Amino acid sequence: ITVNINWNVDKYILGRFWGTTAVAVYAVGALLNFHYLNLSKTISNVFIPRVNRLVAIDDNNSELTNLFIRIGRIQFIVMFFIFISFFTFGSYFVSLWAGKEYEDSYIIALLLMSSVIVPSIQTIGIEIQKAKNIHKFRSTIYFLIALANLSITIPLAQKYGGIGAAIGTVIAQILGECIIMNIFYHKKVRINMISFWKEIFHFSPSLFLPLIMSIAIKYYFTINSVTSFIILVSMFSLVYFVSFWIFGLNNFEKTLISNPIMKFMHKNYKN
């Protein structure tokens, strides 16, 4: 309930001050953010049985931390790829998909997605909280986020419309999900968040080439056709994953990727 209140409060405020057109534009951006979050949950949902088993057997916080880090790194690789790809190509994609009158939806979606990058790589923490039966705190925090969102968004939405509403949500999300929840994970859930963030920051060298290419494409190339869009997306994807393979992935992550590929190639070779 609190999650739904938080993610829908902006629409009600925009409907009150700007009307249905502003709500429709905001809704497109919010929908993209919704799918972005759901993808992250899909990755962590695979590990729910393992989390429950670890907590039920001995509640080993060291093992839970290792699992939290391992899943978080995998989620970061995927979620940051989607985010930076959307930053680079999202404007053309939104205009192609929804229409040029929805240009602000790109900015709204980008703002909302930026606010959930941190929680999107920590979704397994929700399942750890449930397994330990200490998830009430998160519900309380989400209720407070919704209240903060409401109070911050009203003046911003009045002045700046949908983009202002998105900024209000970003501020509330950063305070609640990125700061308070990370402290809670460390202090109460007993997940070593210092180790977690050290592991995430190990990806820093991998980001250099993709970020340079992203900025170059966005500001020095004009995407004016579906063909050029597909070609540039393909080139960018290749650079991103090659950069991560060389500079960021550990042996476990490389094996996780290479094993299915080798099995697929071996199967096709036998056939």
Side-chain angles (χ1 to χ4, degrees), residues 109-124:
L110 196 63
L111 285 167
L112 295 177
M113 289 164 71
S114 70
S115 73
V116 297
I117 289 177
V118 171
S120 74
I121 65 173
Q122 298 176 346
T123 52
I124 195 63

Side-chain angles (χ1 to χ4, degrees), residues 123-169:
T123 52
I124 195 63
I126 300 170
E127 304 308 326
I128 294 173
Q129 290 174 65
K130 289 177 182 177
K132 287 176 176 256
N133 197 28
I134 53 174
H135 54 287
K136 182 180 178 181
F137 179 80
R138 181 173 178 269
S139 298
T140 304
I141 287 299
Y142 249 99
F143 179 70
L144 295 175
I145 290 173
L147 291 179
N149 190 5
L150 181 66
S151 60
I152 297 169
T153 297
I154 288 175
L156 288 172
Q158 280 181 299
K159 190 170 184 179
Y160 302 108
I163 293 174
I167 292 171
T169 299

Side-chain angles (χ1 to χ4, degrees), residues 127-259:
E127 304 308 326
I128 294 173
Q129 290 174 65
K130 289 177 182 177
K132 287 176 176 256
N133 197 28
I134 53 174
H135 54 287
K136 182 180 178 181
F137 179 80
R138 181 173 178 269
S139 298
T140 304
I141 287 299
Y142 249 99
F143 179 70
L144 295 175
I145 290 173
L147 291 179
N149 190 5
L150 181 66
S151 60
I152 297 169
T153 297
I154 288 175
L156 288 172
Q158 280 181 299
K159 190 170 184 179
Y160 302 108
I163 293 174
I167 292 171
T169 299
V170 169
I171 295 170
Q173 282 289 119
I174 290 172
L175 289 173
E177 287 270 36
C178 301
I179 298 175
I180 296 175
M181 282 307 301
N182 270 259
I183 295 171
F184 177 72
Y185 280 133
H186 193 75
K187 297 290 186 181
K188 183 67 176 178
V189 188
R190 300 297 181 184
I191 300 296
N192 190 332
M193 297 307 294
I194 296 173
S195 295
F196 172 80
W197 283 113
K198 281 181 179 178
E199 287 294 326
I200 296 299
F201 281 121
H202 284 165
F203 283 125
S204 298
S206 309
L207 300 177
F208 181 74
L209 285 176
L211 286 172
I212 293 295
M213 188 173 182
S214 171
I215 294 169
I217 291 172
K218 188 167 179 64
Y219 295 106
Y220 297 102
F221 286 82
T222 301
I223 303 173
N224 50 21
S225 68
V226 175
T227 303
S228 62
F229 174 76
I230 293 172
I231 291 171
L232 286 171
V233 168
S234 301
M235 290 172 59
F236 177 76
S237 302
L238 180 63
V239 169
Y240 182 91
F241 287 108
V242 168
S243 179
F244 265 75
W245 182 274
I246 295 172
F247 301 111
L249 270 60
N250 57 35
N251 290 331
F252 167 78
E253 290 152 357
K254 288 181 178 180
T255 303
L256 198 66
I257 296 170
S258 61
N259 276 357

